[in-house]
């Protein structure tokens, strides 16, 4: 709705990756060794971003935050570091996707958070000189969730616009609601009179007794010593709740999928999409579910975002980066064995035999890699030459970054805190090489009659490769800072070895997640409890009870 109001003036909302990079840059600019240590812990930055998101949702400015910190009587140094980090983070956002310290004509477009976007849209609605012809006549905002002050201000501004019939929100903190607001009874009457909606029948009042299925769940699961309700308690028809105890997670999955298969195949018009499997952590069950489902012939889809390193092509790319950083043929052979990097099995074996003849320990320089590449020739030689050039490009980028830091520190009279080492430059070279080497699976390579599982695996690999290249492009554009091994005295300490830069990039890759697209319709869906709240099915199975993990 906010984008619709602002139209072409709507700024771009910063992604989680951009927010994390800007926060890391703000932390790296603070003095003191503790700030370099915070860059190592992604969980700390994630928690700090959550705090900053709450500040933005409440509409607190930097000055208001400083006043609140003073009133809380925190340690002045800790309060100052928190305020400086928030100020630097917000400054990076307002500067946009361009490094604020980098020279260049013009200004990059500013980035905003979702709370900022709501604030700008509310200001545009309150401007009497602006018109908004594209707004709908009726806007209903459900009040069954907590609304932040920014959201409340946007709803209040929306209700003030002439021409909007009503805005429904029942929020207890509104002591004097806007005249444009309506409460549930008024909104229901308006829908019936003006829009022809039919009022749903009133649900029957709850009885004094608890539902039978809750009694059974309590008796069989949480109090095994209690007497179990018999079949007569359920009445006619199949029992709506059944609890199956398993000895292990493997037995639990096999029992569940066996029940799924029997349930669907025994029905005249059975469909796999009539079944939902709920797990507290679907990712932990992914490999086991896929293996058992393949054995039983059940089409299965585990929904949710997957770790980027779950893709074989990404693991091969990580091995290639590790090999290029140290000029080590061990991880290079691991990368060569990855089909996504373009080498056939024969070429990978030829490279391995040539490496064994030369001896793995003595091939630790770019010159020896080039010599072996000329000797090999063909795709294997080209692959080895690409890896050698990548290692040299990473070293050269590290040297350029170190020179930049030294130049900045010299201009600041020896203060190395004025410059911070970043991933800019090297990640661009890494992206170019991987963009040339990575080869997504083609349908022709899957055989004459590829199975649905093979097609989905190939599509997931392609999605992972796209996410990997997009991540490297973001790291090069944003310049994610590196942490120094030797503390804050030397900003270039983190760049004295290209291994540290590659380790920082590998850390970002391991933390990234992607969501492959699955267009199949008639499948059994596996999802978490939060996603299952919006779905319905004839059969719902809950995994994890064998380990006392009830999905919340």
């Amino acid at each position: 709705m906010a984008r619709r109001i602002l139209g072409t003036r709507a700024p771009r909302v910063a992604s989680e990756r951009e927010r994390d990079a800007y926060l890391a840059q703000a932390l790296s600019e603070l003095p003191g060794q503790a700030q370099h240590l915070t860059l190592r812990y992604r969980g700390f930055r994630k928690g700090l971003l959550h705090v900053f998101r709450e500040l933005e949702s409440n509409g607190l400015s930097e000055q208001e935050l400083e006043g609140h910190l003073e009133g809380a009587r925190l340690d002045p140094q800790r309060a100052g570091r928190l305020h400086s980090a928030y100020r630097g983070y917000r400054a990076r956002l307002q500067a946009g996707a361009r490094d604020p310290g980098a020279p260049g004509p013009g200004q990059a477009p500013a980035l905003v958070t979702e709370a900022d976007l709501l604030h700008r849209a509310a200001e545009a609605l309150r401007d009497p000189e602006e018109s908004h012809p594209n707004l709908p006549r009726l806007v209903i905002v459900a009040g069954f969730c907590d609304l932040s002050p920014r959201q409340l201000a946007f709803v209040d501004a929306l209700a003030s616009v002439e021409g909007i019939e009503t805005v429904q929100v029942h929020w207890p903190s509104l002591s004097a609601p806007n005249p444009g607001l309506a409460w549930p009874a008024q909104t229901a009457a308006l829908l019936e009179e003006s829009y022809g909606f039919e009022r749903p029948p009133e649900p029957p009042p709850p009885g004094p007794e608890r539902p039978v299925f809750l009694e059974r769940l309590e008796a069989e699961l949480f109090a095994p010593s209690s007497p179990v309700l018999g079949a007569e308690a359920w009445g006619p028809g199949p029992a709506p709740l059944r609890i199956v105890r398993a000895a292990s997670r493997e037995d639990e999955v096999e029992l569940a999928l066996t029940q799924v298969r029997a349930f669907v195949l025994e029905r005249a018009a059975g469909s796999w999409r009539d079944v939902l499997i709920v797990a507290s952590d679907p990712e932990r069950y992914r490999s086991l579910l896929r293996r058992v489902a393949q054995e039983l012939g059940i089409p299965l889809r585990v929904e949710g975002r997957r770790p980027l390193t779950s893709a074989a092509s990404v693991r091969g790319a990580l091995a290639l980066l590790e090999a290029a950083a140290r000029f080590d043929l061990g991880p290079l052979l691991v990368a060569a064995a990855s089909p996504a990097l373009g080498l056939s099995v024969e070429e990978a074996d030829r490279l391995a035999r040539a490496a064994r003849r030369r001896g793995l320990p003595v091939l630790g320089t770019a010159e020896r890699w080039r010599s072996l590449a000329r000797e090999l020739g063909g795709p294997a030689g080209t692959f080895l030459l690409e890896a050698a050039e990548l290692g040299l490009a990473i070293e050269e980028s590290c040297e350029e970054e170190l020179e930049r830091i030294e130049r900045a520190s010299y201009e600041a009279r020896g203060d190395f805190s004025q410059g911070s080492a970043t991933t800019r430059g090297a990640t661009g070279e890494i992206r170019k090489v991987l963009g040339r080497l990575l080869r997504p699976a083609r349908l022709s390579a899957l055989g004459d009659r590829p199975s649905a599982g093979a097609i989905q695996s190939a599509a997931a690999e392609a999605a992972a490769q796209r996410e990997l290249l997009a991540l490297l492009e973001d790291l090069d554009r944003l310049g994610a800072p590196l942490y120094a091994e030797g503390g804050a005295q030397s900003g270039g300490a983190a760049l004295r070895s290209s291994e540290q830069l590659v380790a920082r990039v590998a850390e970002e890759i391991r933390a990234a997640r992607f969501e492959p697209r699955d267009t199949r319709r008639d499948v059994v869906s596996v999802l978490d409890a939060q996603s299952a709240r919006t779905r319905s099915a004839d059969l719902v199975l809950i995994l994890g009870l064998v380990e006392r993990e009830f999905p919340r």
Side-chain angles (χ1 to χ4, degrees):
M1 179 68 74
R3 290 184 180 279
R4 185 174 180 177
I5 292 170
L6 294 175
T8 57
R9 299 174 299 162
R12 185 166 67 85
V13 176
S15 65
E16 288 295 323
R17 188 179 299 158
E18 289 171 327
R19 287 162 53 87
D20 181 74
Y22 291 147
L23 175 60
Q25 291 173 6
L27 291 174
S28 66
E29 293 175 353
L30 299 179
Q33 184 176 359
Q35 307 313 315
H36 290 270
L37 294 178
T38 57
L39 297 178
R40 292 177 176 270
Y41 300 102
R42 179 178 298 274
F44 172 82
R45 297 201 304 273
K46 185 177 181 180
L48 201 55
L49 282 175
H50 178 73
V51 174
F52 288 173
R53 186 180 291 110
E54 291 295 321
L55 295 176
E56 293 159 351
S57 298
N58 285 278
L60 290 180
S61 64
E62 301 162 19
Q63 294 77 16
E64 291 173 326
L65 173 62
E66 186 177 16
H68 284 292
L69 291 176
E70 291 179 358
R73 298 182 180 179
L74 292 178
D75 177 68
Q77 292 184 353
R78 294 179 61 187
R81 287 196 297 266
L82 179 60
H83 178 252
S84 299
Y86 184 62
R87 184 177 62 242
Y89 158 77
R90 293 292 302 176
R92 293 277 177 175
L93 277 178
Q94 294 169 5
R98 181 177 59 84
D99 183 6
Q107 293 292 330
L111 299 178
V112 296
T113 62
E114 293 181 356
D116 297 332
L117 192 66
L118 287 175
H119 179 61
R120 295 194 183 191
E123 290 183 338
L125 288 173
R126 293 192 183 97
D127 190 349
E129 298 181 358
E130 291 195 20
S131 60
H132 306 283
N134 296 326
L135 287 179
R137 289 181 53 199
L138 176 66
V139 177
I140 300 179
V141 179
F144 298 100
C145 57
D146 293 337
L147 298 181
S148 68
R150 287 292 195 204
Q151 292 171 331
L152 283 173
F154 175 73
V155 169
D156 183 74
L158 195 62
S160 304
V161 177
E162 184 179 357
I164 295 183
E165 292 285 349
T166 183
V167 176
Q168 176 217 351
V169 57
H170 39 91
W171 187 251
S173 64
L174 291 177
S175 57
N178 189 291
L181 297 177
W183 305 106
Q186 297 172 327
T187 304
L190 175 70
L191 291 175
E192 292 176 5
E193 296 172 2
S194 302
Y195 294 91
F197 281 73
E198 295 183 2
R199 185 186 294 269
E202 294 290 337
E209 298 181 357
R210 299 174 64 193
V212 179
F213 76 91
L214 287 181
E215 298 284 352
R216 184 182 179 95
L217 180 65
E218 180 182 8
E220 290 202 14
L221 184 64
F222 299 107
S225 60
S226 303
V228 179
L229 297 177
E232 65 277 0
W234 299 99
L241 177 66
R242 182 183 176 192
I243 298 176
V244 179
R245 292 186 176 90
S248 64
R249 187 184 301 173
E250 290 77 9
D251 291 343
E252 181 187 31
V253 170
E254 289 181 3
L255 286 171
L257 292 184
T258 302
Q259 293 290 328
V260 169
R261 192 173 188 273
F263 176 81
V264 174
L265 297 183
E266 290 175 0
R267 304 173 71 189
S271 175
W272 299 110
R273 62 174 174 267
D274 295 336
V275 180
L276 282 182
I277 298 179
V278 182
S280 57
D281 185 6
E283 187 60 36
R284 190 166 53 182
Y285 283 88
R286 182 185 296 274
S287 59
L288 182 58
L289 281 167
R290 293 185 63 179
R291 177 177 63 81
V292 178
Q294 186 175 7
E295 294 173 356
L296 297 177
I298 299 175
L300 187 105
R301 174 174 58 214
V302 182
E303 300 186 4
R305 298 179 64 82
R306 298 168 51 183
L308 194 56
T309 50
S310 63
S313 57
V314 176
R315 294 195 297 270
L318 281 175
L320 179 63
L321 293 182
E322 182 183 352
R326 304 199 310 257
F327 289 103
D328 186 357
L329 274 178
L332 183 73
L333 297 181
V334 175
S338 175
L341 291 176
L343 281 185
S344 63
V345 177
E346 294 77 11
E347 289 294 320
D349 289 343
R350 195 161 68 91
L351 175 59
R353 289 195 299 269
R356 283 195 293 268
R357 286 198 306 269
R358 288 286 191 100
L360 293 179
V362 299
L363 291 176
T365 63
E367 297 301 327
R368 290 174 177 173
W369 279 31
R370 287 173 170 174
S371 175
L372 181 59
R374 289 192 294 268
E375 176 186 327
L376 284 170
T382 303
F383 178 78
L384 184 57
L385 189 61
E386 287 273 16
E389 296 299 331
L390 175 60
L392 291 175
I394 292 175
E395 286 187 354
E396 184 179 352
S397 298
C398 289
E399 292 175 358
E400 292 177 355
E401 189 75 358
L402 182 58
E403 291 177 0
R404 182 187 68 80
I405 295 172
E406 292 177 347
R407 183 167 58 252
S409 63
Y410 176 78
E411 294 173 355
R413 298 182 180 180
D415 184 3
F416 277 89
S417 64
Q418 298 297 320
S420 59
T422 68
T423 58
R424 187 176 288 110
T427 46
E429 297 296 331
I430 293 172
R431 187 184 185 281
K432 291 178 183 177
V433 172
L434 292 181
R436 292 195 297 265
L437 292 179
L438 286 175
R439 298 289 186 272
R442 300 177 181 272
L443 287 178
S444 58
L446 300 179
D448 296 335
R449 295 182 178 180
S451 63
I455 294 176
Q456 292 302 320
S457 298
E461 289 289 329
Q465 292 177 19
R466 290 194 297 270
E467 181 65 23
L468 173 63
L469 297 178
L471 168 63
L472 294 173
E473 184 178 4
D474 282 348
L475 290 178
D476 186 57
R477 173 175 57 88
L478 299 170
L482 305 175
Y483 38 74
E485 288 288 348
Q489 298 301 320
S490 174
L495 290 175
R496 299 196 183 281
S497 172
S498 57
E499 295 181 36
Q500 284 193 341
L501 186 141
V502 170
R504 181 72 169 90
V505 174
E507 176 194 357
E508 295 288 338
I509 293 175
R510 292 189 180 97
R513 304 178 75 86
F514 78 107
E515 187 168 3
R517 186 178 179 183
D518 192 343
T519 58
R520 295 178 297 170
R521 294 180 179 272
D522 193 13
V523 294
V524 176
S525 297
V526 183
L527 62 170
D528 58 13
Q530 183 69 23
S531 303
R533 295 173 63 182
T534 60
R535 307 279 288 273
S536 62
D538 296 337
L539 176 65
V540 179
L541 297 99
I542 301 177
L543 301 180
L545 302 184
V546 68
E547 300 173 358
R548 302 292 180 180
E549 293 182 357
F550 196 83
R552 288 178 286 183

